């Protein structure tokens, strides 16, 4: 879990809390916390009470977006912090087009992974 700056905050259109994620995925909160620990998705502390929140776009049709976990691993292997990974995932890329997270939602995982791998070079 990390802190994010105002720029990254502005890139993410909607956030969900861990209890919201439990409801979305149909699991209990302990499972959500385990998935967070396993880096299935990223969370940041935000808001007045510094609650853990996750970008809502990481979830689709009651599941974690396909390809997100592997993409997060590639970004971490490239030395990205959680905050940098969030910024990269939500920054528009004209060559995709759209953002990497939108491309993942549209099952264009190969394109996103290719770009994430290129960051390591």
């Amino acid at each position: 879990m990390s802190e994010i700056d105002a720029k990254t905050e502005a890139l993410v259109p909607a956030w969900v809390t861990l209890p919201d994620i439990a409801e979305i995925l149909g699991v209990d909160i302990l499972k959500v916390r385990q998935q967070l620990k396993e880096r299935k998705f990223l969370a940041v502390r935000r808001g007045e009470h510094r609650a853990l929140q996750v970008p809502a776009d990481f979830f689709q049709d009651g599941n974690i977006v396909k390809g997100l976990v592997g993409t997060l691993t590639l970004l971490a292997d490239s030395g990205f912090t959680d905050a940098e990974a969030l910024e990269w995932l939500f920054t528009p890329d004209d060559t995709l087009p759209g953002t990497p997270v939108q491309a993942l939602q549209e099952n264009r995982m190969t394109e996103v992974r290719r770009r994430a791998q290129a960051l390591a070079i």
Side-chain angles (χ1 to χ4, degrees):
M1 281 106 340
S2 67
E3 301 287 323
I4 56 172
D5 59 20
K7 176 185 171 190
T8 304
E9 175 87 28
L11 291 172
V12 179
W15 298 87
V16 290
T17 63
L18 300 188
D20 295 333
I21 296 166
E23 188 173 318
I24 290 167
L25 300 178
V27 298
D28 66 40
I29 192 75
L30 295 175
K31 176 71 173 173
V32 171
R33 290 190 179 280
Q34 182 63 35
Q35 290 175 321
L36 179 59
K37 186 177 178 180
E38 293 170 352
R39 297 188 49 83
K40 305 276 185 194
F41 47 84
L42 302 177
V44 296
R45 294 207 175 270
R46 54 184 300 280
E48 181 181 334
H49 300 289
R50 312 304 299 155
L52 282 174
Q53 296 185 30
V54 178
D57 287 344
F58 284 177
F59 306 95
Q60 186 175 38
D61 301 325
N63 294 297
I64 298 169
V65 169
K66 186 177 177 182
L68 178 65
V69 176
T71 302
L72 291 174
T73 299
L74 284 171
L75 293 172
D77 290 349
S78 296
F80 277 56
T81 65
D82 288 355
E84 291 168 335
L86 280 174
E87 182 177 349
W88 185 82
L89 285 163
F90 285 91
T91 298
D93 181 340
D94 292 338
T95 65
L96 275 174
T99 66
V101 78
Q102 287 170 331
L104 289 174
Q105 290 173 328
E106 296 166 0
N107 293 316
R108 296 187 287 138
M109 176 176 37
T110 303
E111 296 174 50
V112 174
R113 293 245 175 108
R114 189 176 306 126
R115 284 165 177 77
Q117 286 175 326
L119 297 170
I121 297 173

